[in-house]
Amino acid sequence: MINLKLFQQNFDEASAKLEKKGVDISTLKNLKELFSSLKEANSSLELAKANQNKMSKLFGQYKKEGKDIDELKAKVDKNKEVISYLQSKAREADNSLYEVALAIPNFPDDSVPNGKDEDDNIEIKKVLTPRDFNFEPKEHWALSEINGWIDFERGVKLAKSRFSVLRGESARLERALINFFLDCNREKGFEEIYVPFLNNSAMLQGTGQLPKFGDDLFKIEGEDLYLIPTAEVPLTNLYNNEILSKDELPILMTGYTPCFRKEAGSAGRDTRGMIRQHQFDKVEMVAITNPDNSDEIFDMMVQNASDILTALKLPHRIVRLCGGDLGFSASQTIDLEVWLPGQNKYREISSISNTRDFQARRAKIRFKDGKKNHLVNTLNGSALAVGRTLIAIMENYQNEDGSIEIPEVLKKYM
RNA sequence: AGAGAGGUGGCCGAGUGGUUGAAGGCGCACGACUGGAACUCGUGUAUGGGGCAACUCAUCGAGGGUUCGAAUCCCUUCCUCUCUGCCA
């Protein structure tokens, strides 16, 4: 959640920032009003309560002293009615404020370029040059058919469309990649963590998936549980509602989880192949940091993800997302896009975001600096998306006959 | 899943309707004592919100309710422990 106080105090500046992310100005004006009326409602409620508390104490005193309490009782009864009225007004104001506030995205950093969608993203650099093929490189689904690697039909039979089955060499490669990624991250100081794949709604609100994006989540019927869409949710919320000590920071975590997404808004996109599935494996990095050095750690995370791709000899490019393409919780995001020769395109394989204190405010993750508590910064990034790496290996390491080489660094994992 | 017990501050633990945001202890911080330390003594020591501040509101697992007033009573819910059941 954004800092409402700051938002209120610098309304013009704040709303200009949010407009960069495509938020409607009338929503923001509404939010400002809701915030004022909540403050008003709360302060009159508090006044009435303070009054009540004082009189109640008197009440006890009078009784002890054997004084007459009828008059006081009448006063106190009346005030009680006032309180219950003010209470309901304050609750109303609270509900309507948070309904709006929780749906407001994070402020983008000043460094975020203006732009509407992915076409306005800015390429920072390319790493490694795509190899020259002396034949027409095939797409991964064609290679899959030749090698028997991915069984799309049976995946659909077992579940529904956008599910698939890996078998034999590809299943082993998937597992090798997970282990390889976890080892790489561990070497950079990330602690390996294994988490529940179902999280409750409070956690999903903490990282920003709820309440606004519930449509993209698989929910367990009759329970307050959701299949996680990314390990960012459990890893970040590991410290939900906790106060850390300053010298625990930064906390660097990595974990493998499957991720589950309904892909509600993606009907018709990437229907062929394994680019966009309802279930996919991902190894995630999450950092909980002091705001003072979150930029530094952000750069380290980008570098780490890029290094892993380099170790796999996969050509990729590093892209800075524009305001319009930035995710809900992010104040800044860098995507890594891997080269897919079969598709003749760079495709997203990692996304690294600094959410600053946006998630920390929602999830109440703070650290103690002397007497004072401050919100931490939270960062997350893939290192890496496993399924998409598998595809990238298939397409980049293919031979003319359709066979696929195994990258050198993975051989010891197979 | 069924039966029982229980959830109080960093930890232990008292507290069954009235200056209790919470005794006492441990821990921790600071000060005194010491050459230094231990011991001892003194002081301080939860979180969130509003306010420039004085101050004020909320929080004794969570949410509701009863009451002038609730950690204490009622309801709902979550969690932990023990026994039974079931499983990997």
Side-chain angles (χ1 to χ4, degrees):
Chain A
M1 199 168 67
I2 57 167
N3 184 343
L4 289 172
K5 216 163 153 185
L6 251 169
F7 169 75
Q8 187 86 336
Q9 282 163 2
N10 312 298
F11 179 73
D12 292 334
E13 194 187 326
S15 53
K17 280 188 182 181
L18 288 170
E19 273 181 282
K20 192 155 141 186
K21 245 177 147 172
V23 186
D24 194 49
I25 184 81
S26 65
T27 311
L28 296 174
K29 281 188 174 143
N30 183 29
L31 179 65
K32 190 182 172 194
E33 267 164 44
L34 287 170
F35 187 57
S36 313
S37 50
L38 175 65
K39 280 182 79 170
E40 244 170 74
N42 273 340
S43 73
S44 50
L45 173 64
E46 275 186 19
L47 214 72
K49 276 186 173 174
N51 213 342
Q52 191 79 345
N53 286 344
K54 250 175 241 149
M55 290 196 285
S56 290
K57 275 182 185 169
L58 262 187
F59 203 99
Q61 204 178 309
Y62 280 18
K63 267 192 120 174
K64 215 179 259 174
E65 293 166 3
K67 282 193 191 162
D68 182 55
I69 52 171
D70 290 351
E71 197 186 329
L72 184 63
K73 168 108 168 107
K75 260 167 90 176
V76 123
D77 278 338
K78 202 168 198 176
N79 193 48
K80 201 183 171 187
E81 277 173 40
V82 175
I83 286 180
S84 88
Y85 170 74
L86 291 173
Q87 180 85 259
S88 67
K89 295 247 327 194
R91 257 180 217 167
E92 232 172 80
D94 195 79
N95 289 338
S96 25
L97 172 69
Y98 283 103
E99 197 185 315
V100 176
L102 286 171
I104 303 288
N106 196 3
F107 296 120
D109 285 349
D110 292 335
S111 62
V112 170
N114 284 309
K116 209 168 86 236
D117 53 34
E118 59 182 21
D119 296 331
D120 299 320
N121 293 342
I122 290 173
E123 180 183 303
I124 297 173
K125 66 170 172 178
K126 288 194 170 80
V127 181
L128 301 180
T129 320
R131 103 182 213 225
D132 277 325
F133 287 88
N134 49 15
F135 57 92
E136 184 71 17
K138 298 176 186 62
E139 302 214 43
H140 72 274
W141 53 81
L143 293 163
S144 166
E145 251 168 59
I146 295 168
N147 294 282
W149 274 21
I150 312 170
D151 188 339
F152 293 104
E153 291 77 13
R154 289 198 176 94
V156 174
K157 177 171 77 179
L158 289 172
K160 62 179 221 171
S161 65
R162 289 197 194 276
F163 285 91
S164 55
V165 172
L166 299 178
R167 58 196 305 166
E169 196 82 335
S170 63
R172 293 181 60 219
L173 186 55
E174 177 92 359
R175 183 158 55 87
L177 283 168
I178 293 167
N179 287 330
F180 173 61
F181 293 162
L182 286 169
D183 284 349
C184 291
N185 295 343
R186 204 153 42 84
E187 272 167 33
K188 296 281 170 73
F190 291 86
E191 183 190 7
E192 183 171 340
I193 301 191
Y194 181 84
V195 291
F197 301 160
L198 301 180
N199 281 194
N200 62 45
S201 55
M203 301 305 113
L204 284 141
Q205 179 169 307
T207 31
Q209 286 76 17
L210 288 178
K212 206 177 173 189
F213 305 102
D215 287 348
D216 205 35
L217 298 170
F218 287 102
K219 186 176 192 312
I220 304 297
E221 196 181 343
E223 304 244 23
D224 180 34
L225 288 172
Y226 297 79
L227 288 161
I228 53 171
T230 159
E232 168 197 341
V233 177
L235 288 178
T236 307
N237 282 295
L238 213 55
Y239 294 99
N240 188 297
N241 199 25
E242 293 193 23
I243 298 168
L244 302 156
S245 83
K246 190 184 173 187
D247 38 66
E248 282 179 83
L249 303 177
I251 297 171
L252 305 176
M253 297 172 279
T254 186
Y256 151 73
T257 72
C259 304
F260 302 90
R261 299 182 184 176
K262 281 196 174 175
E263 296 294 347
S266 317
R269 289 181 65 192
D270 303 311
T271 46
R272 184 108 195 246
M274 216 180 55
I275 286 273
R276 196 172 297 278
Q277 297 273 289
H278 287 309
Q279 173 186 326
F280 62 95
D281 285 331
K282 183 156 61 66
V283 173
E284 186 78 359
M285 311 173 273
V286 164
I288 311 252
T289 76
N290 190 309
D292 292 345
N293 62 355
S294 71
D295 285 314
E296 205 176 295
I297 287 166
F298 179 77
D299 292 342
M300 181 274 280
M301 288 165 72
V302 173
Q303 189 60 47
N304 180 43
S306 174
D307 287 348
I308 295 174
L309 284 169
T310 304
L312 289 165
K313 299 203 166 67
L314 290 171
H316 57 283
R317 60 174 197 161
I318 299 173
V319 171
R320 182 181 294 285
L321 297 201
C322 71
D325 203 25
L326 223 49
F328 180 75
S329 296
S331 65
Q332 179 181 170
T333 297
I334 284 188
D335 275 7
L336 269 59
E337 299 180 346
V338 70
W339 176 248
L340 295 184
Q343 292 198 9
N344 197 38
K345 254 190 229 167
Y346 283 99
R347 293 300 304 255
E348 178 184 338
I349 195 164
S350 171
S351 187
I352 296 136
S353 299
N354 189 346
T355 78
R356 308 265 170 214
D357 60 10
F358 185 83
Q359 292 180 326
R361 185 171 293 105
R362 289 175 162 243
K364 299 191 177 69
I365 309 174
R366 293 143 295 175
F367 71 99
K368 195 176 268 302
D369 182 10
K371 272 227 174 284
K372 276 255 186 201
N373 295 324
H374 306 276
L375 293 168
V376 299
N377 278 11
T378 65
L379 301 89
N380 63 78
S382 10
L384 298 165
V386 180
R388 288 188 180 180
T389 309
L390 183 74
I391 291 169
I393 290 171
M394 292 170 80
E395 295 199 6
N396 283 280
Y397 281 80
Q398 62 179 298
N399 298 315
E400 187 160 16
D401 63 359
S403 61
I404 297 159
E405 305 288 329
I406 298 298
E408 202 53 43
V409 287
L410 291 180
K411 283 188 176 154
K412 65 174 177 185
Y413 288 91
M414 295 285 286

